[in-house]
Amino acid sequence: MGTFESAIRIKSLRKSFDGGRDFVLNGLNLDIPKGMITVLIGYSGTGKSVLLKHILGLLKPTSGVVEVLGKDLWSMSDEELVKFRCKLGVLFQHAALFDDMTVLENVCFPLREHRRDLSPATIVDTAVKKLQMSGMEEKHFAKLPGELSGGMRKRVGLARALALDPEIILYDEPTTGLDPILTEMVDNLILETHRHQKGSTSVIVSHDLFAAFRIGEHIAMLDKGKVLLSGTVDDFLKSDVDLVKRFVDKGFYKK
Ligand SMILES: Nc1ncnc2c1ncn2[C@@H]1O[C@H](COP(=O)(O)OP(=O)(O)O)[C@@H](O)[C@H]1O
Ligand SMILES: [Mg+2]
């Protein structure tokens, strides 16, 4: 990869749940470059979502360091950490919208929570802009999530993730379970969003190698709680590591 400025640095990260001896993450080291799209790949159950939750400061390491934008997450006070998290936007697999709030209310929510300095009118204006950026039509703004298609829910989830103009945007399996057309739509939306949010860093968890190669500038493959390989698409194509080769072959046979 050459040298790059890191947005996220993870050092010797280990995680076991409930004080157990099974480490889901077991000495994981990873540098995620600033301003680029990084895709985290790996078979199901290898700890990708657990890693993402560490980056978000939602899970605390058993040991090791998680540094985001130059700050060690767990050297901050709870209050500082809550504030710091505003620099991160996340789109979870099922969009996790509030089902009893309208589309517009869903996107206003983080602004009302964290931007008390903004007037109610500015909050609505900002939310409308984010929804438009995510490709939502105004006629849907007053609807409840239950009235929307899967693709539209993704768009609303993305608009909400972007509400606070995050420096880092994380996506956990954004296209899992979607049909090929919706998958391409969401992949393109991720690319457009990345280009639009100048200087932002995007991190996408996926088990779709095909998408990883299409949109990822930097790819890291997880296995057994560690990073097996971290590099460019080229590094992956040239890799001699058996498991990487198998994953790459599988990714290409798929389509
Ligand atoms: N809160 C939790 N408590 C106990 N085990 C967990 C928890 N979250 C994840 N795990 C375990 O960690 C492993 C990795 O999970 P995950 O990160 O979700 O995998 P994936 O790579 O598919 O996203 C799994 O074995 C899962 O059961
Ligand atoms: Mg997962």
Side-chain angles (χ1 to χ4, degrees), residues 44-50 93 172-173 205 207:
S44 170
T46 48
K48 302 182 298 296
S49 294
V50 169
Q93 185 176 344
D172 197 355
E173 307 256 4
V205 166
H207 60 237

Side-chain angles (χ1 to χ4, degrees), residues 34-87:
K34 207 173 208 167
M36 284 193 202
I37 300 181
T38 290
V39 183
L40 302 175
I41 57 171
Y43 291 101
S44 170
T46 48
K48 302 182 298 296
S49 294
V50 169
L51 174 60
L52 212 68
K53 285 178 188 153
H54 278 87
I55 295 171
L56 287 161
L58 298 173
L59 283 176
K60 189 169 183 173
T62 304
S63 64
V65 178
V66 179
E67 228 178 70
V68 179
L69 300 167
K71 295 269 269 181
D72 176 351
L73 291 189
W74 297 97
S75 70
M76 287 186 247
S77 67
D78 289 354
E79 205 181 320
E80 280 177 306
L81 183 57
V82 168
K83 251 185 149 176
F84 188 80
R85 280 206 199 106
C86 294
K87 295 178 192 285

Side-chain angles (χ1 to χ4, degrees), residues 81-235:
L81 183 57
V82 168
K83 251 185 149 176
F84 188 80
R85 280 206 199 106
C86 294
K87 295 178 192 285
L88 309 174
V90 60
L91 181 60
F92 288 109
Q93 185 176 344
H94 298 292
L97 301 172
F98 301 112
D99 287 322
D100 55 350
M101 285 187 200
T102 65
V103 164
L104 186 61
E105 285 300 316
N106 261 282
V107 184
C108 287
F109 184 82
L111 292 156
R112 293 219 169 92
E113 287 285 294
H114 297 286
R115 295 297 308 273
R116 304 248 159 103
D117 55 313
L118 299 179
S119 72
T122 309
I123 284 179
V124 170
D125 282 352
T126 309
V128 165
K129 280 203 193 90
K130 301 299 175 191
L131 281 163
Q132 286 168 340
M133 199 198 288
S134 309
M136 277 302 282
E137 294 175 75
E138 207 160 330
K139 64 180 179 197
H140 302 304
F141 287 5
K143 287 187 180 166
L144 294 172
E147 301 173 83
L148 304 177
S149 68
M152 282 197 270
R153 291 168 66 93
K154 294 273 176 192
R155 291 184 194 273
V156 180
L158 181 61
R160 196 179 60 184
L162 298 176
L164 299 170
D165 289 318
E167 291 177 48
I168 300 177
I169 309 161
L170 304 123
Y171 303 84
D172 197 355
E173 307 256 4
T175 61
T176 298
L178 300 184
D179 63 51
I181 291 171
L182 260 185
T183 296
E184 198 178 334
M185 185 280 276
V186 172
D187 285 344
N188 288 335
L189 196 55
I190 293 170
L191 280 172
E192 278 164 36
T193 303
H194 182 78
R195 287 182 194 135
H196 192 272
Q197 305 277 110
K198 295 264 176 295
S200 69
T201 302
S202 300
V203 182
I204 303 149
V205 166
S206 180
H207 60 237
D208 182 356
L209 187 93
F210 206 78
F213 281 7
R214 191 163 89 83
I215 65 181
E217 297 164 275
H218 175 231
I219 302 170
M221 180 167 175
L222 266 62
D223 183 54
K224 298 196 182 77
K226 286 193 172 69
V227 172
L228 191 62
L229 183 66
S230 170
T232 60
V233 171
D234 226 35
D235 293 332

